[in-house]
Every structure is written in structure tokens, then in C-alpha cells.
Amino acid sequence: MISVAIELKKVRKTYGTEAVQTVALDDVDLTIDNGKFVVVLGPSGSGKSTLLNVMSGLDHLDEGKITIDDYAIDSMSDKALTQFRREHLGFIFQQYNLLQTLTVKENVEIGARLVEDALDSEKVLDDVGLSDHLNKYPFQLSGGEQQRVSIARALVKRPKILFCDEPTGAVDEETAKSVLEILQNLNKKYETTIVLITHNASIAKLAHSIVKMNSGKIVGVETNKPQEARKISWND
Amino acid sequence: MFKRHVVRTFARQWISVILLSFLLIISGFIYTIMAVSVRTLKDESEAYFETTNQEDFSVHLMRYVTDDDQAFDVACDFEVGMLLSTLKENDETCHQVLLDARLAALSEAEFSRDLEYRVHKDGYLDYGNTRHRTRVFRDNERINTSRIETGSYPESGEVAIGRLYAELNDLTLDDDIELDGQVYRISGYVLLPDYNLPIFEHMYMFDSAYQTIALVSHEDFDALSWQENRVLSGIVDETMDEDVLEETVMRFGFVERFVLTEHNLRSGAIYAELDGGQATGLFLSIMLAVIGLVIVGIMVSKTMSEERRTLGVFKALGVTRHEMVVPYLIGIALFSMISLFVGYVLGLLAAPWMQDLYLRFYLLPRGTINIQWVDLAVAVFVPTVIVVCLTAFNLYRMVKPPAVELIEPQVMKQKPRRIKWLKKLLKPFDLLQVLQGSMLIRQWGKVLIYVIGIFLALYMVFLSLGMRNLFQHTMQGYYGMHTYESVVYCEVPTQCDAAEHDKGIEIQVLVQGERSTLLALDPDNNTHPLPDLNNGDLRGKLSEGLIISRSFKDLTGLDVGDRVDIMAYGYTFTETIVGITDLYPGAYIFYDREAVSLMITQEVDYFNRLYTEERMETSGGMIVHRETMLEQVESIEGIYQTMIYLMVGGSFAMAVIVIYLLMLLTVESKYYEMSLFKVLGYTNKEISKVLLGGYFKLNVVIFISSIPLAIYSFGVLTRTMLDWFGFFFPLRMEHWDIVLAFVVFGLVAYVGSLHARHKIKKRSLQEALKIYQV
Ligand SMILES: Nc1ncnc2c1ncn2[C@@H]1O[C@H](COP(=O)(O)OP(=O)(O)O)[C@@H](O)[C@H]1O
Ligand SMILES: [Mg+2]
């Protein structure tokens, strides 16, 4: 049985003053199923990041309803949202956002301390292929390796949903591939729901489903055939 | 385009900008008001001291015949121990012979260029129902000559008095006053270079509203029936070494005391006061300017580093470094210059007021405000140039890397060795504590500025609280504890009726080389209780040894059981300390009167003070009532307190602003990390603990270490004042002050960080993580 992980209903978000308004999300309806790998695809400025921010509770929405696992995200207090993020959500951003003064292992432990039943940091780092770099500092790693540290940091606390905003935006193709493969494997291994944002159509192919955005609107949702969903090819 | 951007950058931080501007205005103000008023006073006074030939030192002579006097090869035969006043009554010629012989002996010692007796008589000035103390002078020929400020030199039947006294008592030229029952017309206002504070017999009483110097013609002076007093005034060549001078003079047995002008409260305090005022002004303004400008620099650098990426893009587009940096520099230069200039103008406007404030205490000529370009340069341009240069250096360095690098995240390029050390050091600690420590170490430059800023601010808080206590401690404490109604300053014991009254001898001595006042009392006196630390009374112990005041104990570290050398009147004796008395602020020691009397006159009934339990109206000496003293103290306290509260309030406000701004900036600079932790799911409480906890601990450490430092520096200040002027200046810190400072500091720091967090909250979490800065 497939349960619903995230549900958005008529979500609206605008930026700016009343005079100059940008509608970043325009009556968005979306359902994301549990355990799925979903890619949000769209050109720059189409509202992808905004979508991710509001559905993960990082930002407030103007109108509409968002529920994650029966929690009404839109009406939760800041404190409750924080607690919710802590227990259920993981994040990966384009800039890795590692703490420079901590080692690889320590960076992951920053994530692990958030929950009581966290995975073993070293084991997760092994999963992402960094077992040889435990005591290195972020500046001693390549971009892809740093991104893998941030993946490990997000995964170590076993989030139900992992939000990734352009996780491969700052690395080269080969590295991007390996990062994405790791995400794929984790999605399988831990059944983590993954919502990944990208403007790169090639990446979209590895998802179970693709949400296409343009000008703050969802312009289409595609479901990949299972056999295609496991292959990535770079052709753009 | 950049211009508009710079303006917006400043506008966005308007609270900080206003506070900073205030800081800079005050800095320019303090510098200017002090520099201008002090220079005006100094120039005017120097010229005045030059023309009136101010003494370089004064020598107090014994009032009785000493062994050295007896050894003079003169026609008169002097009896050792005989009072000079008795000698004068018996044989006026021999009295004069003795005075001449003393002067000649000192002159022959060849330490001075010139010597002259300074003669005065102490009495009362009456008008209407008012009676105030006055010291009437016989004008000198060479040293300490008078200057008539307004009006004319007193002819027969005329008197010149202090301008300040006249003003404060609504007297004007041509008014009549009485001296010694004789009517005198006020012909002018007089200044004497050796009395720029009207201090007569009592150190703490120098309020010009209650006592005045006066000058009458030679004939009128000689006709006054009051007791005549004289000290020797001397001028030396500039090359003279002070210690050699003092030693040379003190070798003569008839010398009671030697005082250099710069150590003399009545004539030389102005030097230290002006220098002190100028130094304080300079110190405070530099400190404020430095803090203010450093904060400006940090703010701009912070803004620019947040915009690294944008700048990188601009650079890639071909915008030059100058085009990016110069608008910021112009912004800073304008901001700093305008603020400082406003302070400068306010300072100029207030300088005459400051001069008058000095002249409310000091009898000195009033000068016309002396404005010089150098003030404008120092107050406005120098700080501006410095901040612009420093910021320029910082900003140019920041935009120097190639565009691509600016666009890339700014990460640590190599592991600093200090982080490695710290990690080792913090091994046993929790990960979050390691993070706290390593972040502080990583930004050690900022942390250093923070520590220095907070430290200075805290010191200002302590200083202001310490000053607040000042006068309560000195004056009222002192006068509140005696039980006598009147004290007679009796220079000639035979002229004062001592029956039924407590006798005392007050002289200046050196105890183990430290200046102090010896008060010799009888063990059975009723007027000077000597409570010990347990409220017992030590009067009975006066005949057993020395009793010292608690302040003196604190200053010297001497304690019960110590044997000390006491030097006075050419005698040195050794005595054991038998008690510490809790009263009497200042360096006081107490000893048996008869013993001191024997030492001085070889008889047991000598005294120079009489203390009466009932108010006494007439006596052979100058009478001062306790009530009058308290009145004076309160009046001076009023003025001092206004000044002190101004300073207290001012430095307090400054300190608050500095703490607030530093806190705000520091917390804001943690914007990135705070957002990251928040996104990860850390609660606000945990975030504060991790990211601000380090600063909290730092604050506690700074606070705790600033306490002993403040106490120590207060001690040094107090000791210096005592050493130089014998003036007890009890800058003290009470437990209460520490609590108060802590509360204020904590509160301000808290509000500052709250404000910062509020600002952070308003920015979106995810935006923070886009900032290319780790
Ligand atoms: N903090 C913000 N303030 C104002 N406008 C914003 C803000 N964030 C995003 N926008 C605008 O909202 C629209 C969607 O932005 P975003 O969600 O970041 O797009 P994407 O991630 O698809 O590139 C854009 O037009 C962008 O300019
Ligand atoms: Mg985006």
C-alpha cells in the first residue's frame, strides 16, 4: 500500500510589496507518495526553490494547505516546525553548507545528535563512500565529496523525506552522477522519500516521477516507467 | 548604481548607524571640549604664572626654636623649644634676626635662585550677617606676586578679594566688607599664583563660596591683629633635581615640610588637573573613536562579504575594483566626517562652559577660547582617514581574487594550526563545545576586537560606578564621624584657652616613606572615637603605640604588630602599630599627643588643634565649625556630583552602546550558522547555546577578569593622588556595583542579541544558506 507523504492544496506564495509582486507559486496542487524519488524540473526562476521551501516548512505560504504525514505544516508554530524538521526531514543544498572547522565525521555527527535513534555516522559515511576521509576537513575534499558529506549529515538521522535543492549544481557531470547514484541507492535502501530540484532535464530521468514547473505553476507531472527510472544519461 | 546601493546598505542598518554616529559625535565632542578648554586655561595660566613668578616650591618652617637655630652665629641667644610667637612678643628684633638667619642658611645651600617669605594672616571677612574665613596676604616683591583681575590695586582702607568669592556671594566692586573690625572697600579682584585653590588649613575645604584670599596694603596688613604666618617660597633653576632639592632642604632642622608646587594642592593641583583632564579627554575620545570606527569597518566588511558573489558577478562583467569599493569608502568617509564634525562643533560651543567649570574651583585668569586647526584635524580628519584607509585595505583585499573565486564559496583554504591545537585541547569535551571553541579561534581577529571593546566598555561602567561613590566616602564620611562641634586651628598654644577642650597635634609625616597625616590625641579625649574593626574603641591604646586608619592599611599593607619608621620635624622614631581604626578615610595615623609634644617642644602641653564639644565662637586661633564644614562639603559635593553624574551617565551610555553594537554585530555575523542549524532542525535554544554560548562564556570571562583589573587600577589611582597631593580619592568598588554592572551588562548584551536574532528571523532561512561564506 502506497501512502501519501506530502500533499499541497492550492498553495500560493508571493514575494515583494503590493506594488511589485512576484507570484512564485500560483495555486499549486501536488501529491508526493511515500518512498518515491521525485524530481521537480523547471527553468530558473520558475518557483522550484520556493516550492521546496514552503513544503518543507522553511518558508511560510500565503494561501493553501500543506500536509506531511498528516501534519499540517502551514499552521504549525515555528517551534513545532523546527521539531518536525528535526524528526522527519533532511536537506541538501547546492552549497554543501558544511562547518569548516569540523572534520567530516564531526559534521555528520552534528546531524546525528538531533535524534535519539540516529544511524552510526561512520556507517553512513561508508555508505556514501567516504570511509577513508573521516578525519579530513571540508577544504581537503573535492566538491562531490563535500556534497556526499552533506548527504551523510542529512541521512544519519534517518529522515522520512529528503529535500535536495540543486544538489549537483556545483559539481561536474561525473561527480553529479555519483552523487545522484548515492541518492538513488539510499532511496532504495532506507525507503526515504526524496524530493530533488533541478533545472537539468537529464537528471529527471532517474526519478519515479517528474514534476514540471513554469512561472510558479505545475505544468505537468510525468511518471517514469520503472525500467527507465534507474538509468541516467547526460545529453544536454 | 553602487551609490544607491551603499545608501541602502546604511539605511538598512539605521539603528546601528544612529548609535555609531552618536558614538562618533561624543568622541569628537569630548576631544574638542577638553583640548580647547584645557589649552585655553593652560596658555593663560602659564603666562600668568610667568609674570607673577609662581613659586617652584614652598617650605614650612618650625614655629619654635630648634637646635639648628641655636647654632646660628648671631647676636641673639635662642632658647630651644621656645615658640617663635613668644620670641616675637619678647624680642621683636631677635625674632627678625632668626627669620633672616633661616633664610640666609637656606640661601647659602645654593639650591635656589631666589627665596622670599610669604606672609599671611588668617581671620574672618564679615559683611551683613555673613562671616567667612579669609586669608589676607602681604604682597610679595618677587615671588608669587599678585595680579589684579578687575578693578584696582588696594590702597589704604581698600581690599582686593577673589572674584569667584565675590560672584558667589553677590559682592561687587565698591562694596564694603569688614576685616578685624575695620571697614574695607572692595577695590578689585585679586589672583595669587600660589593660591589657585583657596585651601587654607584644611585639605578638603576649597570651595570659593565659603572662603577667600584677600590683599590689603602693607600698612593695613601690619595693622591687622591676627596671628601672622609665614612660609618660604622658592624659585629654582629648571635643571634642579627634585629629590636632591627635597633632601637639601629637609636637612635643616628648622624645616617642617617641603612641598614642590606640582605636589601642592593649593598651587599645583591645576597642573595635574589640566593634564589629567586632557589625558582623560584624549583617552576617552580615542577609545570611542576606535571602537566606533572599528564597528563601522566591521559593518561594511560584513555587508560586502555577504555580497561576495554579487561582487564577483560585477567583476566578471568588467566593473573595476575601484568602482566597487570607492562608493563604500565615500560613504564611510562622509558618515565619519559628518558625525565627528558635529561633535567638534558641539565641543567648540561647549568649551567656554568647560572653562568656567574649571574656574568654578580654580582661581585663575579666564582666557579667550583658543581655537586651533589642529583640533579639527585630530578630532575629525585623522580618525576619518584612518578608518577609510583600514576599510579600503580590507575591501580591496576582499575583491582582489578573480571573479570566479568570488563567486565560489569562500571556504577555509588550509587548516590553521591553532584549530589543530584547540581540537587536541578540547578532546575530552562535547562536539558542540569543540565547535564553539573552534569558531571563536577561527575568527580570532573579530573575537579580539569584541573582547577589547567589551572590556573597555565594562571598565567605563566600573569607573562610572566607582566615581559615583567618591564623595560620599571622602567628605561626609569624614565629617560625619567626629563628635566635636568646632575645631580651633591654634598655631600659638598660649593664645588659645585649652581648658576643658581636647587637644590635638596634626602634622604631616612620612611613615615608611609614605606621606600621611599624624593626628596626636590624648587617650582620654572625648571628641575622636577610634573604633576598631569590631566596634571596640582604641583610644586607650594611644599610649601603647601607633593606630593607623584602615585606608592607610589598605594603601600600604601595614598591619598590627609591624614596626614602622615615622619621620617628622627632622626626627625619626620607630613605633609598633597596635590597632587599625575603621573610620577616617585617608592616610591617617594616630599617636599619643604628649609624646609628640615632647618631641617637638620638649614639653608636654603643645598642641595645634583644639576640639570642642560645644560650639565655640571666639578663640586665639581660627575656628571652623563642623556645621560649616558639612555645609561646604555639601555645596562642593553638589557641583562635583553634577559633574560626576554627567561623566557617569556619559560613559555609562557609551558603554551600553558599545556592548549593544558589538553584541548585535557579533550575533548577526552568526547568521549563516544559525540558519544552517535551524534548517537542520536544531531548536532556537540549542542554537543559542551552540553559537552564542561561546560568546556568553567569553562575556563571563571578560566580566570576571575586568573586576580585579578595575579594582587594581582604582588602587593605583587612589595611591597616586595620595602620593602626589596627600589627597584621598577613594575610587572604590562596592559589591553592589559589581552586581549592578553585571545586571546592566547582561541586560544590554541580551537585548542586543535579541535584536540581532529578531533581524535574522526576518530573513529567509534558505537565503542564508545561499550566502557564499562559511
Ligand atoms: N526572497 C525573495 N524575494 C523576492 N522574490 C523572490 C525571493 N525568492 C524568490 N523570489 C522570486 O520568486 C520567483 C521564484 O524563485 P525561485 O523559487 O528561487 O526559483 P527557482 O528555484 O526555480 O530558480 C523568482 O521570480 C524569484 O525572483
Ligand atoms: Mg532555485
Side-chain angles (χ1 to χ4, degrees):
Chain A
M1 190 196 83
I2 298 166
S3 62
V4 171
I6 310 172
E7 190 167 24
L8 283 78
K9 277 187 185 151
K10 294 218 174 300
V11 169
R12 197 178 165 77
K13 170 87 185 170
T14 54
Y15 287 114
T17 56
E18 279 183 23
V20 199
Q21 271 201 348
T22 315
V23 183
L25 293 178
D26 194 358
D27 286 340
V28 170
D29 289 307
L30 181 66
T31 308
I32 292 171
D33 290 338
N34 235 336
K36 291 287 191 249
F37 194 137
V38 178
V39 164
V40 181
L41 183 70
S44 212
S46 55
K48 306 183 298 292
S49 294
T50 308
L51 178 71
L52 183 137
N53 292 348
V54 297
M55 83 180 158
S56 61
L58 290 183
D59 207 346
H60 297 286
L61 61 161
D62 297 336
E63 285 169 39
K65 276 197 163 1
I66 301 174
T67 48
I68 299 182
D69 272 359
D70 299 332
Y71 288 94
I73 296 298
D74 51 274
S75 58
M76 274 159 92
S77 69
D78 181 67
K79 205 171 160 184
L81 268 176
T82 302
Q83 189 60 31
F84 182 78
R85 266 203 305 277
R86 179 186 193 127
E87 284 166 15
H88 305 290
L89 310 183
F91 291 90
I92 299 166
F93 299 105
Q94 186 177 348
Q95 292 85 29
Y96 328 135
N97 302 110
L98 300 176
L99 292 160
Q100 297 288 313
T101 60
L102 297 185
T103 61
V104 166
K105 191 174 165 218
E106 288 168 338
N107 262 292
V108 176
E109 272 165 9
I110 289 289
R113 337 175 34 103
L114 282 162
V115 291
E116 283 179 7
D117 55 347
L119 300 168
D120 180 55
S121 303
E122 290 188 27
K123 191 181 160 291
V124 178
L125 278 165
D126 191 37
D127 281 346
V128 298
L130 288 174
S131 40
D132 293 340
H133 305 286
L134 297 184
N135 293 315
K136 285 193 178 166
Y137 284 83
F139 72 92
Q140 293 167 314
L141 304 177
S142 71
E145 286 165 338
Q146 289 193 55
Q147 190 59 295
R148 282 189 269 160
V149 179
S150 88
I151 293 172
R153 178 180 65 191
L155 279 175
V156 74
K157 60 171 189 172
R158 290 210 279 195
K160 287 209 179 68
I161 308 169
L162 183 61
F163 291 101
C164 317
D165 193 342
E166 309 265 10
T168 57
V171 294
D172 62 67
E173 262 179 32
E174 278 310 300
T175 315
K177 255 190 202 173
S178 73
V179 167
L180 290 168
E181 262 163 30
I182 288 169
L183 287 175
Q184 253 183 331
N185 291 338
L186 296 168
N187 168 248
K188 259 201 292 194
K189 187 169 174 185
Y190 298 109
E191 293 184 347
T192 312
T193 309
I194 295 181
V195 180
L196 188 149
I197 282 175
T198 183
H199 61 272
N200 187 337
S202 321
I203 295 177
K205 296 200 177 133
L206 85 169
H208 292 115
S209 58
I210 304 160
V211 177
K212 289 191 173 161
M213 282 197 78
N214 210 343
S215 308
K217 284 191 167 69
I218 293 181
V219 292
V221 180
E222 289 173 17
T223 309
N224 278 335
K225 289 171 198 120
Q227 62 271 33
E228 278 176 58
R230 301 295 113 188
K231 292 264 182 279
I232 320 164
S233 68
W234 300 82
N235 52 7
D236 61 339
Chain B
M1 169 203 62
F2 262 105
K3 250 178 273 161
R4 214 179 307 145
H5 182 70
V6 171
V7 171
R8 261 189 228 140
T9 303
F10 277 98
R12 216 174 39 217
Q13 327 213 21
W14 64 275
I15 293 184
S16 305
V17 168
I18 287 176
L19 291 179
L20 273 172
S21 171
F22 188 62
L23 221 59
L24 294 183
I25 289 174
I26 298 290
S27 161
F29 175 77
I30 292 178
Y31 173 79
T32 311
I33 190 175
M34 291 317 286
V36 172
S37 62
V38 166
R39 182 188 316 117
T40 303
L41 273 170
K42 238 183 178 169
D43 290 355
E44 197 70 25
S45 302
E46 262 165 29
Y48 157 63
F49 290 148
E50 191 67 34
T51 53
T52 55
N53 216 4
Q54 189 195 36
E55 64 189 11
D56 291 328
F57 64 89
S58 68
V59 180
H60 293 243
L61 300 171
M62 295 299 183
R63 291 173 217 283
Y64 58 92
V65 178
T66 66
D67 294 332
D68 280 23
D69 292 320
Q70 207 181 29
F72 285 137
D73 185 18
V74 287
C76 296
D77 201 13
F78 307 120
E79 188 190 329
V80 173
M82 178 189 254
L83 283 157
L84 292 199
S85 51
T86 317
L87 177 65
K88 190 178 181 186
E89 268 168 42
N90 297 348
D91 186 346
E92 201 161 345
T93 323
C94 273
H95 177 251
Q96 193 57 48
V97 166
L98 179 67
L99 292 179
D100 292 344
R102 284 179 170 184
L103 187 90
L106 283 166
S107 297
E108 271 160 32
E110 279 182 34
F111 56 79
S112 63
R113 222 170 55 206
D114 198 5
L115 284 171
E116 191 177 10
Y117 277 115
R118 180 71 160 150
V119 190
H120 67 256
K121 291 180 177 177
D122 286 344
Y124 300 98
L125 181 153
D126 298 282
Y127 67 93
N129 291 322
T130 311
R131 155 167 281 209
H132 286 132
R133 290 177 315 135
T134 183
R135 180 164 282 187
V136 186
F137 291 84
R138 193 179 205 274
D139 207 359
N140 269 7
E141 271 163 29
R142 302 185 305 280
I143 304 175
N144 295 332
T145 56
S146 65
R147 174 190 277 196
I148 299 296
E149 229 185 331
T150 321
S152 59
Y153 198 88
E155 311 258 326
S156 177
E158 292 180 335
V159 64
I161 59 172
R163 175 186 49 79
L164 208 53
Y165 174 81
E167 279 173 11
L168 295 170
N169 286 287
D170 288 326
L171 289 170
T172 53
L173 295 185
D174 294 332
D175 280 355
D176 286 339
I177 54 112
E178 262 179 52
L179 298 172
D180 198 20
Q182 216 54 41
V183 177
Y184 287 82
R185 199 176 61 85
I186 300 174
S187 70
Y189 299 142
V190 67
L191 291 173
L192 296 172
D194 54 337
Y195 277 87
N196 46 59
L197 275 179
I199 291 175
F200 301 158
E201 59 291 290
H202 206 291
M203 188 90 70
Y204 291 119
M205 297 170 71
F206 48 81
D207 189 346
S208 284
Y210 292 88
Q211 49 201 19
T212 182
I213 51 170
L215 185 74
V216 293
S217 67
H218 286 1
E219 298 73 42
D220 284 343
F221 181 86
D222 294 338
L224 288 171
S225 71
W226 300 331
Q227 175 65 35
E228 183 179 283
N229 293 290
R230 60 184 66 224
V231 291
L232 257 178
S233 299
I235 302 271
V236 290
D237 287 321
E238 270 159 34
T239 50
M240 193 75 204
D241 180 81
E242 293 173 13
D243 294 334
V244 177
L245 183 63
E246 178 157 12
E247 229 171 79
T248 316
V249 176
M250 290 302 279
R251 236 185 279 137
F252 294 92
F254 53 80
V255 170
E256 179 202 320
R257 192 158 30 124
F258 167 89
V259 195
L260 277 175
T261 293
E262 61 183 277
H263 290 182
N264 197 337
L265 209 54
R266 68 173 159 78
S267 56
I270 186 67
Y271 291 109
E273 173 94 35
L274 289 180
D275 288 343
Q278 200 167 28
T280 313
L282 197 66
F283 171 74
L284 273 179
S285 59
I286 287 181
M287 195 172 90
L288 290 175
V290 165
I291 296 178
L293 297 175
V294 163
I295 294 177
V296 173
I298 297 179
M299 256 170 65
V300 172
S301 303
K302 193 190 83 177
T303 312
M304 262 189 103
S305 76
E306 275 183 16
E307 287 164 355
R308 247 178 93 86
R309 195 176 168 189
T310 321
L311 293 173
V313 173
F314 278 120
K315 200 168 176 186
L317 289 174
V319 178
T320 66
R321 288 206 285 157
H322 299 304
E323 281 170 316
M324 287 188 272
V325 170
V326 169
Y328 282 99
L329 296 183
I330 292 174
I332 293 169
L334 281 178
F335 169 73
S336 139
M337 228 151 49
I338 291 172
S339 303
L340 289 168
F341 186 74
V342 169
Y344 168 78
V345 171
L346 291 177
L348 279 190
L349 292 176
W353 174 81
M354 191 71 209
Q355 187 186 203
D356 283 345
L357 198 62
Y358 272 108
L359 294 180
R360 173 64 183 78
F361 292 97
Y362 289 98
L363 305 174
L364 290 170
R366 182 184 269 122
T368 33
I369 290 301
N370 181 347
I371 299 171
Q372 287 180 10
W373 285 110
V374 67
D375 297 328
L376 190 62
V378 174
V380 181
F381 294 115
V382 172
T384 302
V385 168
I386 292 175
V387 69
V388 167
C389 288
L390 286 179
T391 320
F393 173 77
N394 200 0
L395 295 189
Y396 275 111
R397 213 189 39 171
M398 202 182 289
V399 294
K400 190 173 180 179
V404 229
E405 228 175 89
L406 287 176
I407 297 171
E408 287 293 298
Q410 181 191 19
V411 297
M412 206 160 69
K413 293 269 159 52
Q414 68 192 71
K415 180 165 67 173
R417 208 173 296 145
R418 47 181 191 273
I419 287 194
K420 214 161 151 185
W421 281 106
L422 185 91
K423 283 279 178 74
K424 271 197 189 131
L425 213 72
L426 292 180
K427 201 136 211 172
F429 290 93
D430 182 77
L431 177 63
L432 294 183
Q433 278 161 329
V434 173
L435 182 65
Q436 248 177 35
S438 61
M439 284 197 308
L440 287 183
I441 293 279
R442 173 128 193 258
Q443 306 189 313
W444 66 273
K446 270 187 202 160
V447 172
L448 195 70
I449 290 171
Y450 178 85
V451 170
I452 293 172
I454 297 282
F455 198 85
L456 290 177
L458 270 176
Y459 187 75
M460 288 206 286
V461 170
F462 281 129
L463 196 66
S464 50
L465 291 176
M467 285 193 299
R468 199 195 41 159
N469 297 326
L470 205 83
F471 267 75
Q472 265 122 14
H473 277 306
T474 21
M475 309 252 196
Q476 291 219 314
Y478 185 78
Y479 295 113
M481 69 190 58
H482 301 296
T483 57
Y484 59 80
E485 269 311 311
S486 308
V487 51
V488 183
Y489 289 83
C490 187
E491 301 304 351
V492 185
T494 48
Q495 290 185 355
C496 306
D497 181 9
E500 321 251 316
H501 302 314
D502 286 339
K503 296 178 208 156
I505 304 173
E506 191 179 317
I507 51 174
Q508 301 301 313
V509 295
L510 292 175
V511 181
Q512 299 289 84
E514 290 276 348
R515 246 171 259 270
S516 83
T517 302
L518 186 151
L519 194 53
L521 300 165
D522 289 317
D524 61 351
N525 83 79
N526 295 319
T527 51
H528 283 74
L530 296 174
D532 65 10
L533 305 183
N534 310 314
N535 274 324
D537 197 282
L538 294 167
R539 268 175 284 195
K541 284 198 168 181
L542 278 168
S543 47
E544 293 168 25
L546 211 59
I547 293 162
I548 65 175
S549 67
R550 193 179 185 175
S551 320
F552 194 61
K553 174 190 177 229
D554 291 345
L555 282 167
T556 56
L558 291 172
D559 212 337
V560 174
D562 292 345
R563 281 186 74 75
V564 291
D565 292 331
I566 299 141
M567 205 182 101
Y569 283 78
Y571 289 86
T572 302
F573 64 100
T574 306
E575 189 49 274
T576 308
I577 298 173
V578 295
I580 311 285
T581 180
D582 200 16
L583 288 181
Y584 307 97
Y588 276 88
I589 64 172
F590 303 87
Y591 197 48
D592 186 47
R593 187 193 57 78
E594 290 193 358
V596 176
S597 173
L598 270 173
M599 237 181 292
I600 295 176
T601 61
Q602 296 164 351
E603 282 167 32
V604 293
D605 351 296
Y606 179 71
F607 60 87
N608 61 15
R609 301 282 186 276
L610 279 181
Y611 303 97
T612 71
E613 285 178 271
E614 258 137 53
R615 196 180 160 98
M616 175 131 127
E617 296 302 344
T618 51
S619 175
M622 167 84 87
I623 301 168
V624 176
H625 304 299
R626 203 170 90 114
E627 200 187 317
T628 320
M629 290 191 211
L630 285 173
E631 224 171 79
Q632 268 212 47
V633 163
E634 272 159 23
S635 132
I636 272 209
E637 211 182 322
I639 301 167
Y640 255 89
Q641 238 159 27
T642 315
M643 281 171 68
I644 284 171
Y645 276 127
L646 266 175
M647 279 170 75
V648 170
S651 44
F652 206 80
M654 292 300 103
V656 164
I657 290 177
V658 169
I659 296 172
Y660 187 83
L661 278 177
L662 280 174
M663 216 52 216
L664 183 69
L665 272 177
T666 306
V667 175
E668 258 197 299
S669 75
K670 289 273 158 288
Y671 170 47
Y672 167 82
E673 284 91 353
M674 288 178 110
S675 304
L676 174 62
F677 275 83
K678 182 102 199 213
V679 168
L680 288 178
Y682 279 85
T683 62
N684 289 336
K685 220 164 143 186
E686 288 166 328
I687 294 172
S688 300
K689 216 170 123 193
V690 179
L691 298 171
L692 305 181
Y695 283 91
F696 178 75
K697 286 173 198 163
L698 211 56
N699 282 350
V700 172
V701 171
I702 300 171
F703 186 83
I704 289 174
S705 56
S706 71
I707 295 171
L709 236 116
I711 292 175
Y712 175 76
S713 76
F714 288 2
V716 170
L717 254 161
T718 306
R719 208 159 320 180
T720 310
M721 289 297 283
L722 193 68
D723 230 31
W724 276 56
F725 301 118
F727 190 80
F728 193 61
F729 184 77
L731 206 52
R732 228 183 249 172
M733 205 149 67
E734 320 241 315
H735 300 289
W736 224 173
D737 294 333
I738 297 177
V739 174
L740 194 61
F742 185 79
V743 169
V744 169
F745 177 46
L747 213 67
V748 174
Y750 179 72
V751 173
S753 67
L754 216 62
H755 180 193
R757 274 190 271 175
H758 177 72
K759 282 177 83 172
I760 289 174
K761 238 187 202 160
K762 285 204 294 199
R763 296 161 79 169
S764 98
L765 281 178
Q766 217 242 343
E767 280 308 304
L769 301 184
K770 281 191 197 156
I771 293 175
Y772 277 57
Q773 167 217 32
V774 185

